[in-house]
């Protein structure tokens, strides 16, 4: 039988009601008591990394997860990580990025209802996650939720409470799982985060620069906000722009703000506010102006992945050309 490590981090799946609302309290041993059938799927060990609402997850927690997974991989066939849904897509993107060359499955799951709640989705999601992990069919980071198998590079939360809480951005899902039966999407190859040296297997590249600002544009916003971000010592900016990456340019405040950032070595990456579709700064003048000012096109990566990639790239180097090069070496 495959040897699987369960890492618990809290989240709704581990939560219990209190006078202040739901709070994560259940241990991994508590979780496993509800799914004894997993003993028929794999040989299991479990650990509690921390017990947090995922809204409290910080970049340091991603580093802790990546380091523990890296340590465990020589002794396990895969890892299942229980996590809250609110920031699960960010964590999936972070692990995908920090563990390039990952050749074993790391499966994230959680639930929209606590494990002990009536009609909980937690038991099904746990069973599915262990089935996918033990199958070995999906090396790398995946998210398994409501029977969907999604690359960690493409996951996106689409609903606050519905059991079908996640989708895959801009690429089809990896497959589906139902009652232990896995159907692979033959159109998709298992995604990989590409190591710098392709001769190597998994590496731990966990240095991050957390001082990233995500700016969502609205009509009427003044581009001078970018000067305030520079003054606050942010190291990089991701802009969710309009459509395919349009920025307002009735005046020069945004193009000039971008130019001042990039001239000081602060990368500005532009993506779209749309859930699906890619940014393309060459299509409209309002995108061309941004590119001419030095903005980087976020292409088809999700906002979550772009923020993580920028944190990670800046954690490796502050050279702007190198940062741009490191943003996109993904095989997804």
């Amino acid at each position: 039988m495959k040897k699987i490590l369960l890492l618990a981090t809290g989240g709704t799946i581990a939560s219990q009601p209190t006078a202040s609302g739901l709070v994560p309290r259940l241990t991994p041993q508590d979780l496993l008591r509800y799914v004894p059938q997993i003993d028929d799927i794999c040989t299991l060990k479990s650990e509690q990394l921390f017990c947090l609402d995922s809204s409290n997850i910080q970049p340091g927690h991603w580093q802790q997860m990546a380091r523990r997974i890296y340590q465990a991989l020589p002794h396990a066939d895969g890892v299942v990580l229980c996590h809250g849904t609110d920031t699960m897509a960010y964590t999936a993107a972070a692990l995908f990025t920090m563990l390039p060359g990952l050749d074993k499955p790391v499966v994230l799951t959680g639930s929209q209802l606590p494990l002990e709640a009536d009609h909980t989705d937690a038991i099904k999601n746990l069973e599915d996650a262990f089935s996918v992990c033990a199958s070995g069919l999906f090396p790398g980071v995946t998210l398994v939720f409501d029977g969907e198998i999604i690359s960690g590079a493409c996951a996106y939360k689409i609903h606050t409470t519905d059991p079908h809480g996640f989708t895959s951005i801009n690429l089809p899902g990896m497959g589906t799982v139902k009652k232990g039966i896995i159907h692979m999407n033959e159109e998709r190859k298992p995604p990989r985060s590409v190591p710098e040296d392709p001769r190597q297997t998994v590496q731990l590249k966990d240095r991050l620069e957390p001082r990233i600002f995500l700016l969502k544009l609205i009509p009427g916003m003044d581009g001078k906000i970018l000067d305030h971000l520079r003054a606050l010592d942010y190291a990089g900016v991701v802009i969710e722009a309009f459509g395919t990456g349009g920025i307002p340019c009735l005046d020069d405040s945004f193009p000039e703000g971008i130019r001042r950032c990039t001239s000081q070595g602060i990368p500005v990456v532009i993506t779209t506010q749309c859930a699906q579709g890619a940014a393309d700064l060459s299509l409209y003048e309002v995108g061309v102006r941004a590119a001419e000012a030095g903005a980087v096109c976020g292409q088809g990566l999700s906002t979550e992945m772009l923020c993580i990639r920028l944190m990670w790239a800046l954690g490796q180097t502050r050279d702007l050309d190198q940062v741009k090069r490191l943003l996109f070496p993904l095989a997804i």
Side-chain angles (χ1 to χ4, degrees):
M1 292 181 98
K2 295 290 183 68
K3 295 181 289 185
I4 306 299
L5 173 65
L6 170 65
L7 296 178
T9 68
T12 297
I13 194 168
S15 289
Q16 293 180 319
T18 73
S20 300
L22 292 171
V23 175
R25 286 181 168 177
L26 299 181
T27 67
Q29 292 74 30
D30 294 329
L31 300 180
L32 292 172
R33 278 198 289 271
Y34 284 82
V35 282
Q37 57 272 37
I38 288 175
D39 289 338
D40 298 327
I41 298 174
C42 61
T43 301
L44 186 63
K45 290 186 177 180
S46 64
E47 295 178 17
Q48 183 93 54
L49 283 182
F50 33 82
C51 197
L52 295 172
D53 187 299
S54 71
S55 294
N56 288 320
I57 295 291
Q58 302 292 309
H61 295 112
W62 298 330
Q63 292 170 318
Q64 187 177 345
M65 292 181 224
R67 290 165 188 165
R68 183 63 191 98
I69 291 168
Y70 184 76
Q71 293 168 355
L73 288 174
H75 314 289
D77 296 303
V79 175
V80 171
L81 191 144
C82 285
H83 195 287
T85 60
D86 288 348
T87 60
M88 191 187 295
Y90 282 98
T91 295
L95 295 177
F96 183 98
T97 296
M98 291 192 290
L99 294 167
L102 184 60
D103 55 357
K104 292 181 180 180
V106 173
V107 181
L108 281 75
T109 196
S111 64
Q112 298 280 46
L113 290 173
L115 181 65
E116 297 175 334
D118 293 338
H119 311 297
T120 182
D121 54 332
I123 294 173
K124 175 182 182 297
N125 287 344
L126 280 171
E127 290 177 353
D128 290 347
F130 278 97
S131 294
V132 170
C133 192
S135 76
L137 295 172
F138 302 94
V141 178
T142 56
L143 189 153
V144 172
F145 211 89
D146 195 37
E148 299 288 331
I149 307 168
I150 299 169
S151 165
C154 307
Y156 177 74
K157 188 174 181 182
I158 56 173
H159 203 288
T160 56
T161 57
D162 191 87
H164 188 67
F166 289 85
T167 193
S168 180
I169 293 295
N170 288 337
L171 286 170
M174 302 300 298
T176 59
V177 55
K178 185 175 182 179
K179 295 182 178 180
I181 299 174
I182 297 168
H183 295 280
M184 297 181 68
N185 184 346
E186 299 299 336
E187 298 176 6
R188 289 289 308 276
K189 294 180 180 179
R192 300 289 298 278
S193 183
V194 181
E196 292 180 5
D197 183 350
R199 295 170 298 179
Q200 294 182 341
T201 55
V202 62
Q203 301 171 53
L204 178 65
K205 298 279 189 177
D206 63 347
R207 294 194 306 275
L208 298 173
E209 170 51 80
R211 292 175 299 135
I212 302 301
F213 195 89
L214 173 61
L215 177 65
K216 185 184 182 77
L217 296 189
I218 62 171
M221 185 178 288
D222 192 327
K224 291 186 178 66
I225 190 171
L226 294 171
D227 295 322
H228 293 293
L229 298 180
R230 285 193 299 113
L232 289 170
D233 201 31
Y234 278 97
V237 180
V238 175
I239 298 179
E240 282 194 348
F242 306 119
T244 58
I247 61 167
C249 49
L250 288 175
D251 61 28
D252 287 334
S253 67
F254 267 104
E256 288 304 314
I258 292 170
R259 186 171 285 108
R260 286 190 290 271
C261 284
T262 57
S263 68
Q264 294 187 14
I266 301 170
V268 177
V269 185
I270 292 185
T271 187
T272 174
Q273 296 181 9
C274 302
Q276 300 280 4
D280 182 353
L281 301 186
S282 69
L283 193 57
Y284 293 94
E285 180 195 10
V286 289
V288 171
R289 293 278 300 278
E292 289 175 345
V296 180
C297 181
Q299 302 178 22
L301 297 186
S302 68
T303 295
E304 290 88 345
M305 178 54 89
L306 276 177
C307 289
I308 295 297
R309 294 299 294 190
L310 189 53
M311 286 184 189
W312 179 80
L314 286 166
Q316 317 310 305
T317 178
R318 297 304 295 268
D319 180 270
L320 197 54
D321 289 334
Q322 290 298 314
V323 167
K324 293 175 183 177
R325 182 184 66 82
L326 289 170
L327 280 173
F328 297 107
L330 301 180
I332 59 176

